[in-house]
Amino acid sequence: MHPAAAVALVFGGCCSNVVFLELLARKHPGCGNIVTFAQFLFIAVEGFIFEANFGRKRPTIPIRYYLIMVAMFFTVSVVNNYALNLNIAMPLHMIFRSGSLIASMALGIIILKKRYSTLKYASIALVSVGIFICTLMSAKQVASESSSNEEDGLQVFLWWLLGVAALTFALLMSARMGIFQETLYKEFGKHSKEALFYNHALPLPGFLLLASDISRHAVLFSQSEPFQVPVIGLTLPIMWFYLSMNVITQYVCIRGVFRLTTECTSLTVTLVVTLRKFVSLIFSILYFRNPFTPWHWAGTTFVFVGTLMYTEVWTSLGPLLARWRKGAKKE
């Protein structure tokens, strides 16, 4: 696959996925569990057929290691989606998840005893300030929106604080999972498709703990207004259409990122994923008219500039631009 096609998959799949997730969350804010379950089930079935060859192919990495990784991955996925139930707006959700560099660096220093350059520390400080500004401004919005009733307002604000705590926990757990994954790949080699399958298949029994919530939302989805799917003419409840599209676009997004990692350098992958998050955020603000103040814009700018500083994209782009200019002069 051409790298440009992989980039198109990442942008098309991931940005569309955010749109359908927000459509689901706006109609039923507590639908995080059924969304997570549907995503895991779809990717697990696809992996069982094409990666595990209907269970005939043995995993390269021992299952016991996957069980540890899966416990972390399942927790991160459920907590991230459940945070939307706790008065967390989609833009803040996206900005917060863009702060994974902070958690990765902190745990890298504590667990792997890593040391970083001054530029990387500065970039992390910038990301931290950006997330702090956005979180503070969102807190003020939650407080002002619920100020009409003091008792209800306090309850709403406390739920919002719990949502921020959930996102922070998921951020740290995701970083810990990344470090664990890194040590596994060093020992057994990279097996991304295999890891993708086992990370989604092994947690499926865990959804039995959430069965009552999932079945309740399945009933609510079935009661939503009918919608005729364009082109194929199939009529189904609109919430099931949104969920189906969310699952498909999530799969396209993951496959796009996987393809990108095989075709491009890690720097390029980081740059593309960062830009994709920024585009998703802008689309969410403009299309869904989510409240976003100048302070939010300042915080968002800090987060993304800090992320680009961390990847040292400026120093990498310099030689490329110089080479491009040199080639242009020769022509």
Side-chain angles (χ1 to χ4, degrees), residues 189-204:
K190 284 190 176 183
H191 302 281
S192 305
K193 288 175 76 175
E194 179 184 290
L196 183 68
F197 165 62
Y198 284 103
N199 279 345
H200 287 82
L202 292 177
L204 287 177

Side-chain angles (χ1 to χ4, degrees), residues 227-292:
F227 174 78
Q228 189 173 47
V229 182
V231 183
I232 61 175
L234 177 68
T235 301
L236 73 165
I238 194 165
M239 294 303 291
W240 284 114
F241 171 73
Y242 289 159
L243 182 62
S244 303
M245 293 306 296
N246 176 266
V247 168
I248 293 167
T249 51
Q250 171 80 354
Y251 176 73
V252 171
C253 175
I254 289 172
R255 293 298 293 174
V257 173
F258 170 74
R259 284 289 183 184
L260 208 58
T261 57
T262 60
E263 300 285 345
C264 306
T265 63
S266 59
L267 176 67
T268 305
V269 175
T270 305
L271 180 59
V272 169
V273 170
T274 302
L275 290 174
R276 191 279 303 166
K277 287 178 180 177
F278 188 73
V279 170
S280 296
L281 178 64
I282 299 300
F283 189 85
S284 174
I285 294 161
L286 298 178
Y287 185 78
F288 292 102
R289 297 181 181 177
N290 283 308
F292 219 69

Side-chain angles (χ1 to χ4, degrees), residues 152-185:
D152 288 347
L154 179 63
Q155 188 177 11
V156 168
F157 186 71
L158 288 174
W159 279 115
W160 178 85
L161 279 179
L162 184 61
V164 170
L167 287 176
T168 305
F169 170 78
L171 205 61
L172 291 169
M173 181 66 81
S174 180
R176 182 64 187 90
M177 185 180 74
I179 290 172
F180 183 70
Q181 217 167 4
E182 190 178 323
T183 56
L184 280 186
Y185 287 163

Side-chain angles (χ1 to χ4, degrees), residues 102-116 175 179:
I102 304 170
S104 297
M105 177 180 273
L107 293 186
I109 293 169
I110 295 167
I111 297 171
L112 301 177
K113 310 298 180 188
K114 286 185 175 182
R115 290 295 174 264
Y116 299 90
I179 290 172

